[in-house]
Amino acid sequence: MLPEESSSIHLSQAGDWVRRAEDPARKEPAASIRAVSKKFKGTVVLEDIDFDVAEGESLVLLGASGSGKTTILRVIAGLEEPDTGRVILHGKDVTELPARERGVGVIFQSYALFPRMTVEKNIGYGLRIRHHKRKEIKETVNSLIELVGLQEHRHKYPSQLSGGQQQRVAIARTLAYKPQVLLFDEPFGALDAQTRVRLRREIHALLKKVNVPAIFITHDQEEALELGDRIAVLNAGRLEQIGTPDEVYNRPETEYVATFLGAANLLLGVINQESVEIGTASIPAREEAERFRDGQAIKLVFRPEDAHLSRTGVLPEGARRLTNGVIEEISFVGAYERLTVRLDLVARQPTEGEPPLYNVAINTAEKRAGIPIIVTRPKPEAAATRLNVNDRVAVGLTSFRVLPNFTLASERSGRVIETKKL
Amino acid sequence: MSATLSPLRHVRGFDVVKPLSIATMIAIMLPLVLLPLISIFVFGTNKGLGSFLDALTQPEAIFALKLSLATSFWATVFNVIFGLFAAYVLARYDFWGRNALIVTISLPTAIPTAVAGFALLLLWGPQGTLGRLLEPHGVRLMFTGYAIIMANIFVTFPLAFGVIKPVFDTMSRSLEEASATIGATRWQTFWHVTLPSLRGAIVTGALLTFARAIGEFGSTILVSGNLALKTQTAPLYIFSKFNEGQIEAANAIAIVLALLSFGIFSLLFLARDWLDTE
């Protein structure tokens, strides 16, 4: 592969194949995945996956390896058959159709360019096998080569191109036959960090221009946040949450989503009327507590940047005080300062017969020492109010999520009723 | 041994072992391989180029060469197509008995060629199990050109397959999947994507098969009947002329066969380079 050159996609030169914005009255989703499940040798790979992709939308399937995201992509492309469920493209059920009749564009992780064909031949392949007229093929190929900015490379073979250039050829190759939906399988996995950032901006811009719905697969949360109009987080074959980047990042619905997308602190507690009780500490949470019963076991989740520290005890406006803590460690991570704060929280000694509310680690070695959390502060704030190791600080949260603690909920609920009876 | 060698090793900074080893190697190869090859050429030309050309232009000699080329050609065509097909099936599908089939295809490598010829005779000969059924219909396979092609196919059966199959195994599936998602039929995918990636292997397999077939003797002499101007291939011609004491006639054909082999051998090396360049 050649080093990346800095030329980018020329968006001004979109040809006539560019899909014009669809009639807004037509609300039919471009692609629908309905209750798709798949087992492989007895292991569940996909479980009841259900989502839609709107016309012109970019959806990112985010998950760790083994989460089933690649299988979903292959099911949509027709390279893999689901055990149950339907795949619907523009209102047409294509579940039974072979890959070649679906009109789906797949950009493989390795790009899968045909090694014995030049850039031109690769891009024109979809039209050649459809027996289009030579002149028509030439025109389409020309406009696509222009669109992806590979004019000087048209007669080169894939092995003579850089990774980014190969990717552009792969995209142009699928755009040639006006795909119903574009599927990107880990599109930036094989590229270095800088190229990756540049290319995903290019692709994002290109997709907005051609208005073709796209599904991306990635395990990189940063990539997901930047590329996706919506993000679907997958875990062990299940869809954990689907929503806009803002929703998924700021209002995660499961612990997995909270911890997979960015860093998150997690504290175990119970709902106590309009507040959340974490051991000996308590934080007002009228809105957040609404969804829960009194006494229900919950998890309090917050991002490191949503925690605020103050030596004077005066917290910024909007921050709710949680408890106090001692700074244990400070490190600089580029754009921000990262602090480890050991909260004063001590697991409340469970009363006779009460199950432990806090996880094992807290109940044993850290029982007396308190619970550590991670807090980050942007540079200006870190410079304005210096903090040192061993400083005692008040800890407040501007934003947090309360999630049900399912593992304890069942155990706990029975006891709660008992207590109330008493 | 090492005790005697080690003082020699660096006599005045000169590594004795290296030239000694190379010389030994050549000394072993000389009487066994190199000198016999050279002697064909020396012997063939020592009575002048005229007598060499005379011997070569005998109708029997020309016929034998042509027959060899033709039978080897058809055996090559058959085995390359079959090898490609078998490699595709065995690389792409998993089924019960797959490994047994792979072993069976490779089996002819291990079978002595005389045994191969004899086996063909037993089955297809006039008294053979199947040949007996064909005989009343006037169909006779043995002692004809077809028999030679069959024998060639048998002995060169695994060669093309053996070269093509590994390339299939290592070929990325995503190329074919990409082609399918773009809209190609299986045949279009095979023709435009799979086959071009195999061209080096196909050429190598074909050359190996042809080179092996053109020199085939053991099975051919049994199934062909060795009839001059009818079923006598070039190697059989050499054998027959030598038996009749016509050393020059035998030698002329030997030179041609040797040159042909050198030619194929050089092509093989070129094909290997071609295979490696994308």
Side-chain angles (χ1 to χ4, degrees):
Chain A
M1 269 193 211
L2 301 175
E4 296 297 332
E5 46 150 296
S6 58
S7 87
S8 60
I9 293 168
H10 305 295
L11 293 171
S12 52
Q13 295 145 333
D16 62 337
W17 50 271
V18 170
R19 206 176 274 228
R20 298 291 163 218
E22 296 285 327
D23 178 9
R26 211 174 128 221
K27 280 278 190 272
E28 185 178 78
S32 304
I33 311 307
R34 290 274 159 272
V36 164
S37 296
K38 187 170 175 66
K39 272 188 192 153
F40 186 71
K41 287 183 182 164
T43 324
V44 176
V45 186
L46 296 178
E47 200 178 334
D48 207 18
I49 301 289
D50 215 278
F51 63 83
D52 286 338
V53 185
E55 199 57 66
E57 184 189 35
S58 294
L59 177 80
V60 176
L61 297 177
L62 177 67
S65 52
S67 61
K69 55 191 194 302
T70 302
T71 311
I72 297 185
L73 187 114
R74 293 178 63 85
V75 164
I76 300 171
L79 298 170
E80 210 115 23
E81 253 181 84
D83 296 340
T84 56
R86 319 302 298 169
V87 178
I88 296 151
L89 299 178
H90 288 107
K92 190 183 171 199
D93 189 331
V94 298
T95 318
E96 312 293 330
L97 286 185
R100 68 187 171 88
E101 287 171 33
R102 294 195 182 191
V104 161
V106 185
I107 287 86
F108 288 83
Q109 186 174 14
S110 58
Y111 314 127
L113 297 180
F114 306 128
R116 311 276 187 199
M117 293 183 201
T118 60
V119 167
E120 273 184 330
K121 295 269 176 199
N122 263 289
I123 295 175
Y125 183 69
L127 300 178
R128 278 208 308 286
I129 55 172
R130 284 174 176 77
H131 307 293
H132 282 225
K133 289 204 185 75
R134 204 171 282 236
K135 195 171 153 246
E136 193 187 326
I137 297 176
K138 213 177 155 190
E139 281 167 7
T140 310
V141 169
N142 281 343
S143 77
L144 281 166
I145 283 182
E146 219 167 277
L147 180 90
V148 297
L150 289 172
Q151 289 93 328
E152 316 94 279
H153 307 289
R154 58 193 311 150
H155 299 299
K156 287 190 181 168
Y157 286 90
S159 57
Q160 296 169 289
L161 301 175
S162 71
Q165 289 166 341
Q166 290 186 30
Q167 185 172 60
R168 280 186 256 161
V169 176
I171 295 171
R173 186 174 67 175
T174 59
L175 287 177
Y177 56 91
K178 298 189 172 93
Q180 306 213 45
V181 56
L182 282 178
L183 308 175
F184 289 82
D185 184 8
E186 297 269 3
F188 312 104
L191 302 167
D192 63 88
Q194 283 181 351
T195 312
R196 204 180 289 194
V197 172
R198 207 192 75 234
L199 280 184
R200 72 181 178 228
R201 291 196 179 137
E202 282 183 20
I203 287 186
H204 190 68
L206 178 72
L207 283 175
K208 289 298 149 215
K209 185 78 190 167
V210 301
N211 199 35
V212 177
I215 298 176
F216 289 87
I217 276 189
T218 184
H219 60 265
D220 182 336
Q221 44 122 347
E222 196 187 312
E223 210 166 281
L225 291 170
E226 187 168 334
L227 278 172
D229 296 325
R230 283 190 304 151
I231 297 172
V233 184
L234 281 162
N235 177 28
R238 297 229 237 167
L239 201 52
E240 294 262 335
Q241 187 178 353
I242 182 163
T244 63
D246 175 60
E247 281 168 357
V248 180
Y249 186 82
N250 290 320
R251 291 190 292 286
E253 280 178 2
T254 66
E255 182 188 337
Y256 184 82
V257 173
T259 50
F260 195 75
L261 260 120
N265 291 298
L266 189 80
L267 301 172
L268 303 176
V270 282
I271 298 290
N272 185 1
Q273 280 158 3
E274 283 180 358
S275 63
V276 172
E277 214 171 76
I278 315 282
T280 47
S282 151
I283 185 164
R286 185 191 302 178
E287 234 177 89
E288 289 88 346
E290 252 172 22
R291 304 190 286 155
F292 300 95
R293 282 179 294 103
D294 209 19
Q296 189 173 345
I298 52 89
K299 294 170 182 174
L300 182 81
V301 179
F302 59 95
R303 304 231 171 258
E305 66 265 26
D306 291 332
H308 297 270
L309 309 177
S310 162
R311 251 187 326 197
T312 57
V314 182
L315 288 161
E317 202 166 323
R320 283 167 276 182
R321 190 179 167 281
L322 175 67
T323 180
N324 294 335
V326 176
I327 296 173
E328 232 179 32
E329 204 185 318
I330 300 177
S331 56
F332 292 95
V333 194
Y336 53 89
E337 184 190 50
R338 187 171 180 275
L339 309 102
T340 309
V341 180
R342 201 167 280 276
L343 299 181
D344 286 349
L345 297 180
V346 173
R348 192 183 54 187
Q349 206 60 45
T351 52
E352 193 66 33
E354 193 184 26
L357 280 177
Y358 312 101
N359 64 32
V360 179
I362 297 167
N363 257 333
T364 55
E366 290 178 331
K367 196 167 161 186
R368 282 172 306 275
I371 302 154
I373 59 163
I374 303 294
V375 178
T376 55
R377 302 196 302 164
K379 252 184 189 168
E381 193 193 325
T385 44
R386 287 210 159 276
L387 290 173
N388 300 308
V389 172
N390 289 331
D391 280 356
R392 269 197 77 77
V393 287
V395 180
L397 306 176
T398 40
S399 159
F400 58 84
R401 286 286 283 173
V402 179
L403 303 173
N405 188 350
F406 285 126
T407 38
L408 284 177
S410 56
E411 217 178 327
R412 176 82 181 149
S413 56
R415 312 260 176 181
V416 170
I417 296 162
E418 264 173 41
T419 332
K420 283 197 171 163
K421 270 181 189 167
L422 286 171
Chain B
M1 195 62 188
S2 64
T4 53
L5 268 179
S6 53
L8 272 174
R9 209 163 194 134
H10 292 290
V11 185
R12 279 163 288 148
F14 181 76
D15 187 359
V16 189
V17 177
K18 183 178 159 190
L20 216 61
S21 325
I22 296 170
T24 312
M25 194 174 72
I26 293 172
I28 293 169
M29 284 165 68
L30 264 176
L32 294 171
V33 181
L34 299 175
L35 286 178
L37 276 177
I38 293 166
S39 64
I40 316 175
F41 292 96
V42 173
F43 189 85
T45 46
N46 67 358
K47 285 189 179 168
L49 205 61
S51 78
F52 168 73
L53 285 176
D54 250 9
L56 205 60
T57 46
Q58 293 298 311
E60 283 181 41
I62 290 175
F63 179 88
L65 273 176
K66 278 186 177 168
L67 183 67
S68 270
L69 290 173
T71 51
S72 304
F73 174 78
W74 289 115
T76 305
V77 168
F78 180 90
N79 272 346
V80 166
I81 292 174
F82 177 81
L84 195 60
F85 174 67
Y88 186 87
V89 171
L90 291 168
R92 286 291 176 260
Y93 303 113
D94 203 358
F95 51 90
W96 190 86
R98 184 170 155 273
N99 283 331
L101 268 179
I102 293 175
V103 172
T104 313
I105 289 179
S106 316
L107 197 62
T109 330
I111 295 177
T113 53
V115 175
F118 188 61
L120 281 172
L121 269 182
L122 282 182
L123 185 67
W124 294 104
Q127 306 302 317
T129 323
L130 287 175
R132 200 165 25 198
L133 303 174
L134 295 177
E135 191 77 2
H137 304 284
V139 179
R140 172 172 276 206
L141 286 174
M142 290 298 108
F143 315 122
T144 66
Y146 299 114
I148 300 167
I149 296 176
M150 284 168 81
N152 281 348
I153 288 174
F154 187 106
V155 298
T156 62
F157 202 56
L159 296 178
F161 171 80
V163 179
I164 296 168
K165 171 85 175 2
V167 182
F168 253 117
D169 289 339
T170 55
M171 193 188 286
S172 162
R173 284 304 300 270
S174 60
L175 282 184
E176 291 175 352
E177 289 182 344
S179 177
T181 56
I182 289 169
T185 60
R186 273 186 199 209
W187 173 248
Q188 284 173 323
T189 298
F190 181 76
W191 186 252
H192 293 295
V193 177
T194 316
L195 209 54
S197 298
L198 289 171
R199 62 183 187 188
I202 290 171
V203 170
T204 310
L207 287 171
L208 277 176
T209 307
F210 191 82
R212 178 76 180 75
I214 200 133
E216 178 50 25
F217 180 83
S219 62
T220 319
I221 197 157
L222 281 165
V223 300
S224 72
N226 193 13
L227 307 167
L229 289 171
K230 273 210 175 98
T231 59
Q232 194 173 60
T233 61
L236 299 188
Y237 179 87
I238 296 172
F239 175 72
S240 302
K241 289 299 154 187
F242 181 79
N243 274 352
E244 290 162 23
Q246 299 185 43
I247 309 296
E248 285 86 5
N251 195 58
I253 294 291
I255 288 178
V256 174
L257 281 188
L259 288 176
L260 203 64
S261 309
F262 292 153
I264 294 171
F265 205 61
S266 345
L267 278 177
L268 260 176
F269 273 94
L270 288 176
R272 202 157 293 170
D273 285 345
W274 193 40
L275 179 78
D276 291 339
T277 48
E278 291 267 288

